[in-house]
């Protein structure tokens, strides 16, 4: 216990003087407790002393036990060594006898095998001289096994002699077999019925010889069989591209006619398989020479026919030597046949009919660069027949690609010319029919090419598709309405203005939907081509550039819609400036130009909302609001003089226009993004409301109101507002001087850009280019209502009045608008008051 705790304890035990009488008993109790504790400590010390002594005794006993155990282990180890020595002495003689027995057994076995080897070699020599191939094959196997036992005795003279003799016998057998096989195919097999059986037995001998003997025999046989093929098709008559099909007919006949004869070869030799591989290599080399020696570009129909027949031949070989299970390409072709209604076999004939007339015209183009005609490597040659011959056609398929591109261009031009730029009645897609036809033509072209090749030619055709789709995007872009140009347009003030009819607006919506469809479908086309093309080209297959083209068409079309509506608003904007705002006697209902704006939007927006997707309709609305709000604001400056009553009427019109713009999504029957759109419109229209509030403010406080509502305004703008209020130059001077005295540090002037109908970038922004006033200088307005919270203290009464003015612009209710009129002027029985009391 610390000091304070001890004192508290004593005070608790003896709170009064009377309680001090218990000090002596307490002291005795404490002393007794101390004695008890001392006794306990002493007993514990004694007990610990006794325990330490006992532990030492136990440790000593354990040490002695360990020493005794080590002594016993040492004795056991010594006895074990003695026992081992005794056993070795006993078994020493037995081990010698066992080793001698093993050596004698090995010697007897070796001598017996040597006898067998000598006898077998002698017998084999006799069989070889008599050409007894069947017996010699079995004997060869036996001799080979016996020789394997004498590998360790190569240095023994007798063994060396036998091995040399065996080697010479194998040479004799090889020469006899090759000599007999040289007569195969000469007609002797028909004269001598036993010749085929003898050759079949000779194959057994070849299998018993080294593998290189079999390879050499098969190679010689294939070369001999193909000698006549080389001679026939290297001649001037058949060494032509249009004779390619006859090459494959020759090897098929050869395989069929010799099928029974070639059964002499064991199936494991795959003689027909190796013969076909050799045939393919020779054919490829000869076709490459034919293609290289062409003086002009190859006839595309002939080239495609040869290409198709080559692919069919490769398919047949792949199926023949795949065990009848079919290949992946077979299955893919089968699925394509099912889709096309079994017309796969008519591809070449269709292509020939298609290009027959076009090929009649002379072709004077330069020969393709021979550096590009390099021999394509054949992956897995000898194991995979796909492309083993047909790959040599790839460098020469340029003429096919050129004609495909010409055909696609012609069909595209025809489709665009026949396009009515209207959708069919009952159509649910709202896209132009030409777009679907374009992709249908592309799909057919892709089917034709993919049936022939899926390598470089297919990739080149895909690049053609990219160019065709870019051309179609350009056609859509060119179809959009253009602004007026030329001297007449400049003289009438319509230069750059886009005028659109109701039909034009529908057509623009169709173009937007069509471009969106093409954007999506072109991406799917790229995915399909990437799946079917050779993997080495898959990474290069994309439609990003094409999709960018269609995105540009969509952006241009939507901006054209905006500019078209802007042009329709021109008459209403002019009508607004012609209203006699200075002599207006009373505030009535919304002005005629507001009704005109409402009528224009009511006739156009429902159609646009029904044709455009929600995303593009929202983009259109943002652009339209960003255009109409600032334009209405700038149009106020175009008015000459605005009286107090005129400002009240214009503020009412402003609220009506704001309501009309806010109702546009409802007119289009689309509500996506309505909250952000409403906030955006309110922010844009608040500029015009703030300007009219400044015009409504009394002359003595107009400067403070201007600084409060338009804190970043410039003296030039303020002077224009004074002109709108109708103040004379002399009266303006004093107000301007006072305004300049209290003006804050100069800020950079932010000017509204001109609203020429130009192509907007494909990014939705919160502002749009507007046309400046003809009669007034550029106006710098920066909407920042948040800066009202940082206004100076001497503006508090101005802000209160501005708030009163704002109540009239915060709602469409006419009764709230009385707050504005009463704050501006005390009218009790004016026509404006009577209007709202009615």
């Amino acid at each position: 216990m610390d000091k304070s705790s001890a004192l508290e304890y004593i005070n608790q035990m003896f709170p009064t003087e009377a309680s001090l009488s218990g000090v002596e008993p307490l002291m005795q109790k404490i002393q007794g407790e101390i004695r008890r504790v001392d006794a306990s400590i002493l007993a514990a010390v004694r007990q610990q002393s006794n325990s330490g002594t006992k532990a030492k005794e136990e440790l000593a006993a354990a040490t002695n036990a360990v020493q005794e155990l080590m002594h016993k282990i040492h004795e056991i180890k010594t006895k074990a060594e003695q026992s081992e020595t005794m056993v070795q002495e006993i078994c020493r003689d037995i081990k010698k006898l066992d080793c001698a027995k093993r050596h004698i057994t090995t010697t007897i076995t070796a001598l017996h095998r040597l006898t067998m080897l000598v006898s077998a070699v002698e017998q084999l020599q006799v069989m070889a001289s008599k050409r007894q191939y069947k017996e010699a094959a079995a004997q060869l196997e036996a001799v080979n096994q016996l020789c394997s036992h004498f590998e360790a005795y190569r240095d023994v003279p007798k063994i060396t002699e036998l091995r040399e003799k065996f080697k010479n016998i194998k040479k004799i057998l090889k020469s006899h077999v090759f000599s007999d096989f040289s007569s195969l195919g000469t007609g002797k097999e028909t004269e001598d019925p036993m010749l085929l059986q003898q050759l079949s037995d000779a194959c057994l001998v070849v299998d018993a010889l080294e593998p290189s003997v079999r390879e050499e025999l098969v190679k010689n046989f294939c070369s001999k069989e193909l000698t006549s093929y080389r001679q026939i098709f290297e001649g001037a008559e058949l060494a032509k591209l249009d004779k390619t099909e006859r090459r494959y007919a020759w090897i098929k006949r050869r395989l069929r006619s010799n099928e029974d004869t070639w059964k002499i070869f064991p199936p494991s030799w795959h003689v027909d398989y190796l013969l076909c591989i050799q045939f393919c290599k020779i054919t490829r080399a000869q076709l490459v020479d034919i293609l290289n020696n062409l003086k002009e570009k190859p006839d595309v129909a002939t080239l495609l026919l040869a290409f198709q027949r080559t692919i069919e031949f490769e398919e047949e070989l792949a199926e023949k030597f795949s065990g009848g299970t079919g290949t992946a390409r077979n299955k893919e072709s089968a699925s394509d046949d099912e889709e096309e209604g079994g017309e796969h076999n008519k591809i070449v004939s269709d292509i020939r009919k298609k290009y027959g007339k076009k090929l009649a015209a002379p072709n004077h183009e330069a020969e393709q660069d021979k550096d590009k005609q390099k021999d394509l490597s054949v992956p897995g040659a000898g194991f995979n027949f796909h492309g083993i011959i047909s790959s040599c056609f790839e460098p020469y398929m340029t003429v096919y690609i050129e004609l495909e591109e010409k055909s696609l261009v012609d069909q595209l031009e025809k489709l665009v010319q026949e396009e009515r730029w209207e959708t069919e009645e009952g159509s649910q897609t709202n896209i132009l029919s030409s777009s679907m036809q374009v992709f249908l033509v592309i799909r057919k072209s892709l089917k034709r090419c993919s049936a022939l090749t899926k390598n470089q030619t297919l990739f080149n055709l895909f690049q053609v598709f990219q160019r065709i789709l870019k051309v179609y995007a350009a056609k859509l872009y060119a179809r959009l309405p253009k602004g007026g140009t030329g001297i007449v347009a400049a003289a009438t003030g319509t230069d750059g203005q886009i005028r659109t009819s109701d039909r034009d607006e529908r057509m623009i919506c169709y173009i937007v939907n069509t471009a969106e469809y093409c954007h999506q479908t072109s991406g799917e086309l790229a995915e399909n081509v990437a799946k079917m093309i050779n993997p080495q080209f898959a990474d290069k297959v994309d439609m990003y550039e094409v999709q960018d083209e269609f995105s540009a068409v969509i952006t241009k079309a939507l901006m054209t819609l905006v500019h078209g509506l802007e042009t329709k608003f021109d008459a209403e904007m002019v009508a607004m400036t012609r209203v006699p705002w200075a002599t207006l006697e009373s505030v009535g209902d919304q002005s005629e130009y507001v009704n005109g704006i409402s009528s224009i939007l009511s006739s156009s927006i429902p159609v646009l909302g029904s044709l455009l997707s929600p995303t593009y309709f929202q983009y259109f609305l943002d652009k339209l609001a960003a255009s109409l709000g600032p334009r209405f604001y700038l149009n106020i400056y175009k008015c000459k003089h605005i009286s107090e009553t005129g400002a009240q009427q214009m503020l009412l019109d402003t609220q009506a226009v704001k309501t009309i713009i806010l109702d546009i999504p409802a007119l289009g029957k689309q509500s996506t993004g309505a909250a952000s759109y409403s906030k955006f419109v309110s922010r844009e229209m608040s500029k015009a409301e703030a300007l009219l509030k400044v015009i409504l403010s009394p002359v003595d406080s107009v400067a403070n109101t201007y600084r409060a509502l338009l804190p970043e305004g410039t003296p030039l703008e303020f002077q224009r507002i004074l002109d709108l209020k109708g103040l004379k130059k002399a009266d303006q001077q004093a107000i301007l001087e006072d305004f300049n005295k209290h003006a804050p540090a100069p800020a950079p002037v932010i000017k509204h850009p001109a609203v020429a109908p130009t192509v907007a970038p494909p990014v939705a922004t919160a502002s749009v280019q507007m046309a400046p006033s003809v009669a007034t200088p550029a106006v710098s307005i920066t909407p920042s209502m948040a800066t009202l919270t940082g206004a100076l203290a001497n503006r508090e009464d101005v802000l209160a009045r501005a708030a009163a003015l704002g109540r009239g612009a915060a709602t469409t209710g006419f009764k709230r608008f009385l707050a504005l009129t009463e704050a501006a002027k005390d009218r009790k029985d004016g026509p404006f008051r009577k209007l709202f009391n009615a």
Side-chain angles (χ1 to χ4, degrees):
M1 297 170 56
D2 55 14
K3 184 177 181 181
S4 61
S5 300
L7 291 176
E8 291 177 359
Y9 178 73
I10 294 172
N11 291 330
Q12 183 180 0
M13 296 295 296
F14 307 103
T16 62
E17 292 183 3
S19 61
L20 294 176
S21 59
V23 172
E24 287 299 331
L26 179 63
M27 291 297 294
Q28 293 177 359
K29 181 179 179 180
I30 292 174
Q31 289 177 357
E33 184 69 20
I34 291 173
R35 285 194 296 271
R36 186 181 64 78
V37 172
D38 288 342
S40 298
I41 293 173
L42 182 60
V45 171
R46 289 175 179 173
Q47 183 178 359
Q48 182 64 30
S49 177
N50 294 334
S51 298
T53 304
K54 185 176 180 180
K56 290 180 180 179
E57 292 175 355
E58 291 177 353
L59 179 62
T63 303
N64 293 332
V66 170
Q67 289 178 354
E68 290 179 2
L69 180 61
M70 292 295 295
H71 179 70
K72 291 180 180 180
I73 291 173
H74 181 69
E75 289 181 352
I76 292 172
K77 184 177 180 181
T78 303
K79 291 180 179 180
E81 291 176 352
Q82 293 175 355
S83 299
E84 182 180 3
T85 303
M86 186 182 299
V87 169
Q88 289 178 353
E89 289 292 335
I90 294 172
C91 297
R92 182 179 300 168
D93 296 335
I94 298 175
K95 187 176 182 180
K96 290 180 180 179
L97 294 174
D98 184 67
C99 184
K101 179 183 176 182
R102 187 167 59 252
H103 289 166
I104 292 172
T105 303
T106 302
T107 302
I108 294 172
T109 303
L111 290 174
H112 179 66
R113 287 174 177 171
L114 179 60
T115 303
M116 293 173 61
L117 178 60
V118 172
S119 175
V121 169
E122 295 293 338
Q123 293 175 10
L124 182 61
Q125 188 174 14
V126 174
M127 295 175 185
S129 61
K130 295 181 179 180
R131 300 195 178 192
Q132 298 175 349
Y133 294 132
K134 189 173 183 180
E135 295 80 2
Q139 197 71 7
L140 271 173
E141 294 289 344
V143 174
N144 285 328
Q145 291 181 6
L146 290 172
C147 287
S148 63
H149 295 295
F150 292 95
E151 289 293 329
Y153 307 104
R154 284 179 171 271
D155 297 334
V156 177
K158 182 61 177 179
I159 300 298
T160 303
E161 180 183 351
L162 285 174
R163 293 178 69 87
E164 286 295 328
K165 187 175 182 180
F166 179 53
K167 185 176 180 180
N168 293 331
I169 294 173
K170 289 195 293 184
K171 289 181 179 180
I172 294 172
L173 282 172
K174 177 182 175 182
S175 63
H176 288 174
V177 169
F178 277 56
S179 175
D180 291 345
F181 267 101
S182 63
S183 61
L184 184 63
T186 60
K188 290 184 179 181
E189 60 269 16
T190 58
E191 299 175 0
D192 186 2
M194 299 301 296
L195 178 61
L196 293 180
Q197 182 60 43
Q198 185 179 1
L199 293 178
S200 178
D201 296 340
C203 292
L204 301 177
V205 172
V206 173
D207 276 335
L209 296 173
E210 290 79 7
S212 59
V213 176
R214 186 186 67 184
E215 294 175 2
E216 183 180 354
L217 177 63
V218 173
K219 183 178 180 181
N220 292 342
F221 171 76
C222 293
S223 298
K224 180 183 176 183
E225 286 293 324
L226 295 175
T227 300
S228 60
Y229 170 74
R230 287 194 184 93
Q231 295 172 352
I232 294 172
F233 289 95
E234 282 181 353
E237 182 180 354
L238 296 179
K240 297 178 181 179
L241 197 60
D242 57 354
K243 306 297 183 183
T244 304
E245 188 175 3
R246 297 184 61 178
R247 296 173 176 269
Y248 309 133
W250 182 91
I251 189 64
K252 291 176 185 178
R253 288 196 306 271
R254 197 71 177 172
L255 291 173
R256 285 195 303 269
S257 61
N258 294 319
E259 183 177 2
D260 294 335
T261 303
W262 291 350
K263 287 182 179 179
I264 61 174
F265 298 106
S268 60
W269 285 22
H270 304 293
V271 173
D272 51 350
Y273 174 71
L274 298 175
L275 178 65
C276 290
I277 292 176
Q278 191 67 23
F279 169 82
C280 291
K281 292 180 178 179
I282 295 173
T283 302
R284 175 187 169 86
Q286 291 184 351
L287 289 177
V288 169
D289 292 338
I290 293 172
L291 292 170
N292 286 336
N293 295 329
L294 290 176
K295 297 180 180 179
E296 298 179 353
K297 286 189 175 183
D299 177 270
V300 68
T302 304
L303 179 65
L304 291 177
L305 179 61
F307 197 4
Q308 176 66 18
R309 291 296 179 258
T310 301
I311 292 174
E312 292 174 355
F313 177 68
E314 291 174 349
E315 293 289 346
E316 291 177 8
L317 292 183
E319 185 175 3
K320 177 180 177 64
F321 297 112
S322 63
T325 58
T327 62
R329 182 160 181 169
N330 296 142
K331 296 176 183 178
E332 183 178 349
S333 300
S335 63
D336 290 343
D337 291 343
E338 186 175 352
E339 289 183 15
E340 297 297 325
E343 295 183 358
H344 175 74
N345 295 329
K346 299 181 180 179
I347 290 176
V348 175
S349 60
D350 292 343
I351 294 175
R352 294 190 64 171
K353 292 178 181 178
K354 181 178 179 181
Y355 296 122
K357 296 181 180 178
K358 298 180 181 180
L359 294 171
N363 190 347
H364 300 289
E365 296 183 5
E367 185 180 0
Q368 186 180 9
D369 188 1
K370 289 188 178 181
D371 292 339
K372 297 181 181 180
Q373 300 175 356
K374 61 182 181 179
D375 183 18
L376 299 179
S377 60
V378 183
F383 303 95
N384 182 12
F385 284 100
H386 292 303
I388 192 171
I389 302 176
S390 58
S391 59
C392 71
F393 290 94
E394 291 285 347
Y396 305 92
M397 293 296 288
T398 308
V399 290
Y400 165 67
I401 297 299
E402 291 173 353
L403 287 177
E404 278 285 358
E405 183 170 11
K406 186 177 185 303
S407 174
L408 290 173
V409 170
D410 293 342
Q411 293 185 65
L412 176 62
E413 292 292 340
K414 182 180 179 182
L415 290 173
V416 173
Q417 290 176 2
E418 295 175 352
E419 180 61 65
R420 295 183 300 142
W421 304 101
E422 288 279 353
T423 58
E424 299 178 0
E425 294 184 3
S427 175
Q428 301 295 327
T429 57
N430 291 326
I431 63 176
L432 300 173
S433 60
S434 60
S435 62
M436 293 182 285
Q437 292 298 324
V438 166
F439 281 102
L440 180 60
V441 171
I442 287 176
R443 181 177 180 273
K444 291 180 178 178
S445 177
L446 178 61
K447 283 288 184 183
R448 287 193 297 268
C449 184
S450 62
L452 296 174
T453 175
K454 297 181 180 179
N455 295 307
Q456 182 66 47
T457 303
L458 182 58
F459 180 71
N460 294 341
L461 184 64
F462 175 75
Q463 293 178 323
V464 171
F465 296 159
Q466 290 178 318
R467 294 193 289 271
I468 293 299
L469 291 175
K470 288 181 180 179
V471 171
Y472 185 64
K475 298 286 185 183
L476 296 178
Y477 194 96
R479 186 66 184 180
L480 295 172
K482 304 294 189 300
T485 57
I487 300 175
V488 176
T492 57
T494 60
D495 189 14
Q497 291 184 349
I498 300 177
R499 298 188 180 276
T500 56
S501 62
D502 293 342
R503 184 178 185 279
D504 290 337
E505 290 178 352
R506 291 196 304 273
M507 181 192 69
I508 294 172
C509 292
Y510 296 147
I511 290 177
V512 170
N513 296 333
T514 300
E516 182 182 13
Y517 166 77
C518 293
H519 184 283
Q520 178 181 357
T521 310
S522 60
E524 295 173 355
L525 173 63
E527 292 177 1
N528 292 335
V529 174
K531 291 178 181 178
M532 69 173 59
I533 202 170
N534 193 304
Q536 65 180 354
F537 298 102
D539 294 338
K540 303 176 184 178
V541 175
D542 64 71
M543 281 286 187
Y544 298 138
E545 294 183 3
V546 174
Q547 291 176 322
D548 290 343
E549 294 285 340
F550 286 112
S551 297
V553 172
I554 294 172
T555 303
K556 170 64 176 176
L558 293 174
M559 292 309 301
T560 302
L561 279 179
V562 173
H563 294 321
L565 283 178
E566 287 178 357
T567 303
K568 290 183 178 182
F569 293 144
D570 287 348
E572 311 307 327
M573 295 293 104
V574 173
M576 175 183 173
T577 60
R578 292 177 179 175
V579 174
W581 302 109
T583 59
L584 207 62
E585 296 179 356
S586 63
V587 178
D589 202 353
Q590 62 189 31
S591 303
E592 284 300 322
Y593 72 89
V594 178
N595 294 331
I597 293 175
S598 177
S599 177
I600 292 171
L601 293 175
S602 298
S603 64
S604 297
I605 295 302
V607 177
L608 301 181
S610 64
L611 295 179
L612 293 176
S613 65
T615 302
Y616 295 128
F617 185 70
Q618 185 62 44
Y619 177 82
F620 163 74
L621 291 185
D622 293 340
K623 289 297 182 181
L624 182 62
S627 167
L628 190 55
R631 186 177 186 186
F632 185 85
Y633 167 83
L634 291 175
N635 212 51
I636 297 175
Y637 283 99
K638 294 183 180 181
C639 301
K640 294 181 179 179
H641 172 54
I642 304 175
S643 66
E644 189 173 333
T645 305
Q648 295 169 5
Q649 179 65 47
M650 192 176 291
L651 192 56
L652 176 65
D653 293 343
T654 302
Q655 184 59 37
V657 172
K658 177 181 177 182
T659 303
I660 292 171
I661 300 176
L662 288 173
D663 289 341
I664 291 179
L667 284 175
K669 297 182 180 180
Q670 297 192 20
S671 58
T672 305
S676 60
Y677 173 75
S678 299
K679 184 185 293 185
F680 176 70
V681 171
S682 299
R683 184 175 70 247
E684 290 296 325
M685 294 304 294
S686 66
K687 303 173 188 177
E689 294 173 351
L691 177 59
L692 292 172
K693 292 172 189 177
V694 175
I695 296 174
L696 277 171
S697 62
V699 176
D700 57 350
S701 61
V702 65
N704 291 334
T705 305
Y706 178 72
R707 281 194 293 268
L709 297 179
L710 303 171
E712 297 186 8
T714 65
L716 188 61
E717 299 165 4
F718 182 63
Q719 183 179 2
R720 178 57 186 154
I721 293 175
L722 296 180
D723 292 336
L724 292 175
K725 289 178 69 67
L727 296 178
K728 298 179 180 179
K729 295 296 182 182
D731 297 335
Q732 292 183 18
Q733 190 64 31
I735 298 175
L736 288 173
E737 290 178 358
D738 180 68
F739 176 79
N740 292 329
K741 288 180 182 179
H742 297 88
V749 177
I750 302 175
K751 296 183 179 181
H752 284 276
V755 78
T758 57
V759 178
V763 179
T765 60
S767 62
V768 72
Q769 296 179 341
M770 300 301 301
S773 173
V774 176
T776 59
V779 181
S780 63
I781 297 294
T782 303
S784 181
M785 298 305 292
T787 57
L788 292 176
T789 58
L792 299 175
N794 59 356
R795 300 180 182 176
E796 291 180 358
D797 60 330
V798 178
L799 294 175
R801 297 181 65 186
L805 295 174
R807 286 197 295 272
T811 179
T812 57
F814 289 138
K815 292 184 178 180
R816 286 186 175 272
F817 193 69
L818 288 174
L820 185 146
T821 61
E822 292 173 357
K825 188 175 182 180
D826 186 12
R827 286 186 179 182
K828 296 182 180 180
D829 300 323
F832 189 56
R833 182 67 172 269
K834 292 179 181 180
L835 174 66
F836 295 110
N837 289 334

